[in-house]
């Protein structure tokens, strides 16, 4: 589970809006603007993924891991990050978040997240994570994709 990916689980908080291709009941009332922006684009959301806010605090790390499929891309829309210190490594390539910009990567590649050590004032990184269909998938392949656990 995701809780086992973090060196300090209480330093990584997630708030799911969509899981397995469906809105999580009651959550859009807490983030109505985000849901209004996403609603016209649900056809590109991967049923094998999520839409969630992710808050990651300084002094922690998300261990190397890989997503279960290359049929989706993971989009990180940075809502807040300090100028330096938070780094994601995907397939051996380092990147950092810039507020207002998106990082897009294939999360079937091994990736991990580092944050700066806690020194003085704690900091955090806040991103909106959106899993979308991989653009190389044909429409018939997209239609065959099922949420995890569906039969």
């Amino acid at each position: 589970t995701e809780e086992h990916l973090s060196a300090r689980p209480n330093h990584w908080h997630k708030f799911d809006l969509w899981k397995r291709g469906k809105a999580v009941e009651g959550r859009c009332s807490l983030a109505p603007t985000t849901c209004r922006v996403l609603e016209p684009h649900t056809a590109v959301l991967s049923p094998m993924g999520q839409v969630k806010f992710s808050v990651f605090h300084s002094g922690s790390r998300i261990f190397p891991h890989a997503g279960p499929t290359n049929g989706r891309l993971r989009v990180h829309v940075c809502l807040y990050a300090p100028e330096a210190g938070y780094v994601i490594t995907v397939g051996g390539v380092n990147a950092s978040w810039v507020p207002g910009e998106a990082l897009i990567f294939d999360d079937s590649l091994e990736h991990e997240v580092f944050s700066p050590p806690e020194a003085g004032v704690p900091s955090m990184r806040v991103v909106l994570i959106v899993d979308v269909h991989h653009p190389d998938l044909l429409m018939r392949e997209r239609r065959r994709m099922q949420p995890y656990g569906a039969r």
Side-chain angles (χ1 to χ4, degrees):
T1 64
E2 289 182 336
E3 287 73 29
H4 295 101
L5 293 176
S6 177
R8 296 174 75 185
N10 61 334
H11 278 60
W12 183 26
H13 306 282
K14 297 158 296 288
F15 182 81
D16 295 315
L17 293 173
W18 259 272
K19 282 181 109 169
R20 297 182 175 191
K22 297 186 189 299
V24 176
E25 190 172 335
R27 296 290 175 91
C28 280
S29 65
L30 300 171
T33 302
T34 303
C35 289
R36 265 195 310 277
V37 169
L38 291 170
E39 192 62 38
H41 308 288
T42 56
V44 299
L45 299 179
S46 173
M48 300 183 85
Q50 307 164 348
V51 175
K52 63 185 173 185
F53 291 103
S54 171
V55 178
F56 191 66
H57 295 271
S58 58
S60 194
R61 172 183 181 202
I62 298 175
F63 298 122
H65 64 286
T69 178
N70 65 357
R72 70 179 189 204
L73 293 179
R74 181 154 276 190
V75 180
H76 281 198
V77 179
C78 182
L79 304 175
Y80 176 81
E83 289 185 20
Y86 287 82
V87 175
I88 185 169
T89 302
V90 180
V93 177
N94 291 342
S96 294
W97 293 269
V98 176
E101 295 185 10
L103 287 174
I104 303 171
F105 62 96
D106 178 344
D107 86 329
S108 71
L109 299 174
E110 185 176 85
H111 54 285
E112 62 186 314
V113 177
F114 296 92
S115 68
E118 287 185 89
V121 179
S123 66
M124 71 177 87
R125 174 228 62 180
V126 181
V127 297
L128 175 65
I129 296 174
V130 181
D131 291 329
V132 298
H133 287 292
H134 194 290
D136 291 343
L137 287 177
L138 301 174
M139 286 307 292
R140 69 176 184 270
E141 294 170 318
R142 288 182 184 192
R143 285 191 292 271
R144 283 196 307 252
M145 291 184 81
Q146 296 292 317
Y148 294 116
R151 297 214 188 264

